[in-house]
Amino acid sequence: MRIIVNGNEIEVTGQRVLIEELRDRGLHVPSLCYDSEAEHQASCMVCMVKDVRSGQMIPSCSTFPYEGMDIDTESEEVADMRRMGLELLLSDHRADCEAPCTIVCPAKIDVARILLYLDREQTDRAYTLLASAVDVHDLPCNDCKAPCEKACRRGSVDKCVDIRKIITEISVEGQNSKPSTPNTKLSTLNSKPYFSSKLGRYTDTEKKWLREYYAQQSHCLHCACEGKEKCQLRECASDAGIKSSRYGVASHQQVKVQIHVNGQLYYEPAKCIRCGLCVYNSKNGFTFMYRGFDMQVVIPEENKSKVDEEIANLCPTGALFVRKLRDDE
């Protein structure tokens, strides 16, 4: 079977969906609701291509080629349609990719990861990460105007985290105890210009809940997404050159609610884009609730034990993630 792609004639089997045929020929076609090894339904509209003959945009993840098909995958019109799909998904995705404190730190310290180690009682790892970024004997925090504390989301709830004081205490304690360096690759900030999602403002109800729930040692809200390393939504938004969604944040899901599913598997509804991959590929596990714009993906309590951690590999965002207590897990 022969079809035309971007003006060039190619031969395809006709037995596979269009997105597979295109990818096999090195054509970049993004998608968030599709996995070649899993059941899916077209929903994200990020894999759109144009049928040149009809002028219609079609989802390549659910369309099979036919003899003489003529499609466009790379025009600005197609790119705009995919970008619009992404922006709509981002408007329903309420999360911070990176913690504001880390983003604004002039010394490039991974503040968020250090505070996470502290609250998980891994002070030696916090110190090692700090020492890999700066000279602990001459901390830049001492003369810093603390943009991290000004950007701290906790400040909009009650009082910002005392980051400089915490960093100093970790430095002093670490130098006194002389911890050994863990035999793992430490996390560093990625230099690639990644898209960074913003969760928007907290409601009064959320502020009350956050004050009560995040009362651990540092008082940090741990804004950074634990699933960001594998987030396809972020990758697609970055590749599309999106800096912010033109539609803002429209989701009303309560922020930072993390539901324990099974083992180390967690589900954060505010990050869900309702692609349905976890629903279609878990038997008596995840399910849809409500319809239309009110539709949500939920996990009934009685279904949690039936869901395996592997389902997180299908999630295109950080909504489903396996919590790692250590970097080497």
Side-chain angles (χ1 to χ4, degrees), residues 92-137:
D92 210 30
H93 176 73
R94 196 159 177 236
D96 280 323
C97 293
E98 303 286 351
C101 58
T102 297
I103 293 175
V104 301
C105 177
K108 306 301 180 185
I109 297 172
D110 194 343
V111 180
R113 182 64 65 105
I114 288 173
L115 294 177
L116 184 64
Y117 284 151
L118 176 66
D119 286 334
R120 289 181 177 173
E121 298 182 351
Q122 297 175 0
T123 310
D124 60 330
R125 299 176 72 81
Y127 173 77
T128 304
L129 181 55
L130 176 64
S132 70
V134 297
D135 182 356
V136 292
H137 300 286

Side-chain angles (χ1 to χ4, degrees), residues 115 149 152 154-155 159-163 166 218-221:
L115 294 177
E149 295 177 8
C152 177
R154 183 78 194 216
K159 182 182 178 182
C160 69
V161 176
D162 197 344
I163 297 173
I166 291 174
S218 73
H219 279 205
C220 177
L221 297 180

Side-chain angles (χ1 to χ4, degrees), residues 1 13 15 20-21 29 60 79-80 93 114-115 120 125 143 152 206 225 240 242 261 279 303 318:
M1 179 185 297
T13 64
Q15 303 302 310
E20 290 294 326
E21 300 283 7
V29 183
S60 61
D80 284 344
H93 176 73
I114 288 173
L115 294 177
R120 289 181 177 173
R125 299 176 72 81
D143 301 315
C152 177
E206 287 174 335
C225 178
I242 297 175
V261 180
V279 175
N303 292 5

